[in-house]
Amino acid sequence: MSGTSLDGLTAALVRIEEPEPEVYSLKLLASRTIPYGASRQSQLAAAIRAGGPRDLALLHRDLGEWSAECVETLLDDAGVAAASVALVASHGQTVWHEPGQVSYQLGDPAVIAERLGVLVVSDFRARDVAAGGQGAPLVPRADRLLWAREGAPRVLLNLGGIANLTAVPPRGSDEPLLAFDTGPGVMVIDACVRRLFPGMRFDAGGEIASRGRVLEPVLEAALSHPFFSTEPPRSTGRELFGDGYADGLVARCLEVSSAPEDAVATATALTARAIGAAAGFIPARLRPADVVRSGGGSRNPALVRAIEAAWPGVEHRAFDELFFDGEAKEAAAFAFLGYLTWTGRPGNEPGATGARGPRVLGSITPA
């Protein structure tokens, strides 16, 4: 998995069992994150922002190589031979996401299959888009089948580059779920940090935001963006909340305050309050007993505190407390989606993406 934050590749080694039809268990055996580093991150950002055909074609190859390298490292660490792996599910790196039109990922699956000698499932989003959906979010299928709560609804909240939530009915229920992107996760926060604190790539431990104050007029103006009032299904990405958006937010903050910490605090509050506002779209039948957070932003105490303040009256918990390392959750979810594809079963939730119906997702590249 490589997300919109462009911070690195995460691989998860999982064992999936199906003790009876449509009843699944997933156990995380090992996981590994390999940071891109400044050079690869710059290459990715430049290609996504303004890359020509050659840039994107070469990046497609490179991402395949980097993905294979990440899997090889994980398997070596775990002492597992590639020959014992049933499949590799590769999400790829999103380079363009235009809801209802296209969701396009790079990372050549042929390179992965050739290097590892393992079947590869990839290109998960295209079929959902072809069926009238937005191609996102797709993790809700795993949220329903793997991580729903017994006896009560639950929200699974992912704090990646983009933040998204899944409101799932109690475990075993076939009622529709609701899932959508709430807006920026850590993407805008990270971009503000890079611009205002040279040499830093993110707000480690939320320390910068904790020193700043939220600039309420700037925040209110930011939250007036039409995206935040758009009813689900909805999805977004770097096209809307990327570097250009962050530049504008920083400029508006500096007009009000000369303290760079205030801009980071305001960006942090933007993520949190957008999540709090998104809770208003959840119907009564799915009002959660708890909100379970995962993703890189869940390691930011300032962001977590802001989310808890913006969404009161519900128990907030870390995915790690209930299941396994939340950093591996999305990679594990796509491993599960790959399993569904491999066994010929749908991987999308039409209530989340807006597709005309359930679809088997992805393309298979043989070993």
Side-chain angles (χ1 to χ4, degrees):
M1 180 69 195
S2 180
T4 50
S5 59
L6 302 182
D7 53 359
L9 280 158
T10 297
L13 179 66
V14 303
R15 176 177 291 119
I16 296 167
E17 295 180 348
E18 193 173 351
E20 55 185 276
E22 306 298 321
V23 175
Y24 308 94
S25 69
L26 181 149
K27 181 179 180 181
L28 180 70
L29 304 180
S31 64
R32 178 69 183 264
T33 296
I34 298 181
Y36 280 133
S39 176
R40 286 183 178 180
Q41 191 176 53
S42 296
Q43 180 185 349
L44 277 165
I48 291 171
R49 184 174 59 252
R54 183 174 188 274
D55 300 314
L56 295 173
L58 292 176
L59 183 60
H60 184 50
R61 178 207 61 195
D62 289 345
L63 279 162
E65 294 284 0
W66 301 343
S67 298
E69 171 189 309
C70 187
V71 174
E72 287 174 336
T73 302
L74 172 65
L75 294 179
D76 287 345
D77 289 348
V80 173
S84 67
V85 175
L87 63 93
V88 171
S90 177
H91 172 269
Q93 177 63 58
T94 299
V95 294
W96 192 258
H97 179 77
E98 188 170 342
Q101 298 296 322
V102 68
S103 186
Y104 187 50
Q105 289 73 41
L106 297 183
D108 192 344
V111 171
I112 303 171
E114 191 67 26
R115 274 189 59 167
L116 299 175
V118 178
L119 178 148
V120 178
V121 183
S122 62
D123 195 23
F124 286 91
R125 301 189 186 275
R127 184 60 187 274
D128 184 85
V129 174
Q134 299 197 5
L138 294 183
V139 170
R141 188 66 176 159
D143 287 335
R144 177 198 286 277
L145 296 176
L146 298 175
W147 300 307
R149 176 173 172 148
E150 293 283 354
R154 160 175 285 165
V155 163
L156 285 300
L157 175 65
N158 174 55
L159 300 171
I162 293 296
N164 48 68
L165 65 78
T166 307
V168 289
R171 181 180 295 275
S173 169
D174 58 1
E175 288 187 40
L177 55 69
L178 179 68
F180 57 97
D181 289 350
T182 64
V186 297
M187 179 186 295
V188 175
I189 302 170
D190 291 352
C192 290
V193 169
R194 289 195 301 269
R195 279 150 181 72
L196 295 168
F197 296 87
M200 297 182 66
R201 295 171 57 198
F202 61 96
D203 185 9
E207 293 181 4
I208 299 173
S210 297
R211 299 197 306 268
R213 65 186 177 92
V214 177
L215 304 175
E216 291 291 343
V218 177
L219 178 59
E220 288 177 15
L223 288 170
S224 69
H225 191 287
F227 175 83
F228 299 115
S229 58
T230 301
E231 293 196 7
R234 69 185 198 196
S235 58
T236 188
R238 188 167 291 275
E239 301 75 23
L240 187 56
F241 292 111
D243 291 347
Y245 182 90
D247 288 343
L249 183 68
V250 167
R252 291 190 294 275
C253 287
L254 293 178
E255 290 174 359
V256 177
S257 168
S258 61
E261 295 86 355
D262 293 350
V264 178
T266 302
T268 302
L270 172 63
T271 290
R273 301 230 192 136
I275 290 169
F281 289 113
I282 299 174
R285 65 178 179 83
L286 291 174
R287 292 285 163 76
D290 58 1
V291 175
V292 182
R293 65 182 178 272
S294 60
S298 63
R299 303 285 196 262
N300 181 328
L303 178 57
V304 170
R305 289 193 299 270
I307 292 169
E308 291 174 347
W311 195 341
V314 65
E315 183 180 13
H316 290 264
R317 311 172 76 177
F319 189 87
D320 311 43
E321 298 171 13
L322 300 173
F323 302 108
F324 51 78
D325 182 359
E327 291 283 354
K329 184 204 169 198
E330 289 227 323
F334 273 91
F336 179 67
L337 293 179
Y339 170 80
L340 294 179
T341 299
W342 186 50
T343 56
R345 285 176 280 194
N348 64 336
E349 287 276 350
T353 67
R356 287 186 289 273
R359 295 291 186 271
V360 178
L361 305 179
S363 301
I364 291 177
T365 304

